[in-house]
Amino acid sequence: MTRVTAIHADITTLDVDAIVNAANSAMRGGGGVDGAIHRAGGPAVLADCVARFPDGLATGDAGWTTAGDLPARWIIHTVGPNRHAGQTDRALLVSCYRRSLEVAAEIGARDVAFPLVGAGIYGWSKEDSIAAALEAVDSSSTAVEHVLLVGYDASTTRQIEVALADR
């Protein structure tokens, strides 16, 4: 069974096999966690995105690149559904986590750190994103041993901890 823990951290500082990036479909960097990961990872991340994803990535899908200058070994990029653009199918949000776990298993990642996908500018609530993450982990048979759900502030981390306790 995959262990899930909450952590209050800057995802770009974590020394894990893989971190997950809440990317946009163009796969060329952006704002929020996407921008932070691209800035911290350096130009190698964008170069690998351009090479691997010349046409971008579909909503709900995931793929990996180098982590560049980050302490993690890989970045798993996933494109969350944008509620503000009418993408309100919760299954797409769950798919982001599920596909990221599948990609992690394919590349041999044993510990993976996730931000709350979709819970920023894409308009999903933190509760929805946490629930989608736990649903994906609980319904997946994955070789990933440890999932870290990263809260960018203490309040978010506490929400994750409460959800884990109620699991």
Side-chain angles (χ1 to χ4, degrees):
M1 183 173 173
T2 303
R3 183 169 49 109
V4 182
T5 56
I7 183 172
H8 177 198
D10 173 346
I11 199 167
T12 67
T13 66
L14 297 177
D15 187 5
V16 293
D17 291 334
I19 62 170
V20 174
N21 179 23
N24 62 53
S25 61
M27 299 295 294
R28 301 298 183 262
V33 72
D34 189 20
I37 287 172
H38 274 265
R39 283 188 301 277
V45 176
L46 179 58
D48 209 9
C49 281
V50 169
R52 290 179 186 275
F53 311 105
D55 300 319
L57 198 60
T59 301
D61 203 358
W64 66 274
T65 65
T66 181
D69 297 329
L70 295 168
R73 189 168 175 191
W74 297 286
I75 300 170
I76 299 170
H77 304 266
T78 190
V79 179
N82 185 341
R83 287 187 65 85
H84 302 301
Q87 296 174 327
T88 58
D89 183 356
R90 187 177 175 281
L92 288 171
L93 187 59
V94 174
S95 180
C96 290
Y97 289 99
R98 182 184 47 77
R99 282 290 300 134
S100 294
L101 289 169
E102 290 170 359
V103 169
E106 290 168 12
I107 59 178
R110 297 290 183 233
D111 53 345
V112 180
F114 283 87
L116 295 184
V117 176
I121 197 167
Y122 280 10
W124 290 86
S125 72
K126 292 174 188 174
E127 293 81 8
D128 281 337
S129 186
I130 294 165
L134 295 178
E135 180 180 328
V137 170
D138 291 345
S139 65
S140 295
S141 59
T142 180
V144 173
E145 296 169 4
H146 187 195
V147 167
L148 294 90
L149 294 179
V150 180
Y152 57 86
D153 59 33
S155 172
T156 302
T157 306
R158 182 68 188 133
Q159 282 182 270
I160 298 167
E161 290 169 342
V162 168
L164 288 171
D166 291 343
R167 189 168 168 221

